[in-house]
Amino acid sequence: MFQQEEAMVTSPKVLVTGATGLLGRAVCKEFQNNGWLVTGTGYRRARPRLLRCDLTDEDAVRGLLHEYKPDVVVHCAAERRPDVVERHTEAAVNLNVHATSTLAKEAGG
């Protein structure tokens, strides 16, 4: 008798940062509509279905990637308002530059 093994088919996993923003919400929805397992992150506006994560905290980013093991990371989190960037330059650079670097380094490793 021929026995066929059923392959365990799992959906690919995506981590979307900035999932509370306009772009992040749209990206999450698109991935969900296409059968991906979506984990979204936010910071100040994180809602129950989203993870709260401070992307400027390297240990938090490392832990997030280690725990969820996404196949793909889509980084939508950023400080996009010029007036806020001017008033809070260091915080904006930490999010827009340093957090991006940390995510790239940790996701690629």
Side-chain angles (χ1 to χ4, degrees):
M1 177 173 209
F2 179 76
Q3 221 175 359
Q4 186 176 12
E5 289 184 32
E6 288 185 34
M8 293 288 291
V9 178
T10 59
S11 297
K13 297 184 287 185
V14 62
L15 173 71
V16 180
T17 67
T20 59
L22 185 64
L23 175 62
R25 286 193 308 268
V27 169
C28 285
K29 185 177 180 181
E30 190 65 26
F31 274 101
Q32 287 170 334
N33 288 344
N34 285 284
W36 287 64
L37 295 176
V38 179
T39 300
T41 71
Y43 184 59
R44 282 187 218 111
R45 297 178 294 168
R47 295 185 294 268
R49 291 184 13 207
L50 300 175
L51 299 174
R52 182 180 169 103
C53 183
D54 179 357
L55 296 176
T56 64
D57 179 343
E58 289 186 25
D59 290 334
V61 170
R62 201 172 292 116
L64 180 68
L65 292 172
H66 180 73
E67 182 175 348
Y68 289 93
K69 296 177 179 52
D71 298 302
V72 174
V73 176
V74 181
H75 182 40
C76 298
E79 180 49 68
R80 58 176 177 71
R81 300 165 295 179
D83 58 321
V84 175
V85 172
E86 287 179 15
R87 284 195 319 263
H88 305 285
T89 304
E90 186 176 347
V93 168
N94 281 338
L95 178 59
N96 293 355
V97 178
H98 299 303
T100 302
S101 175
T102 299
L103 272 166
K105 180 176 63 179
E106 295 299 326

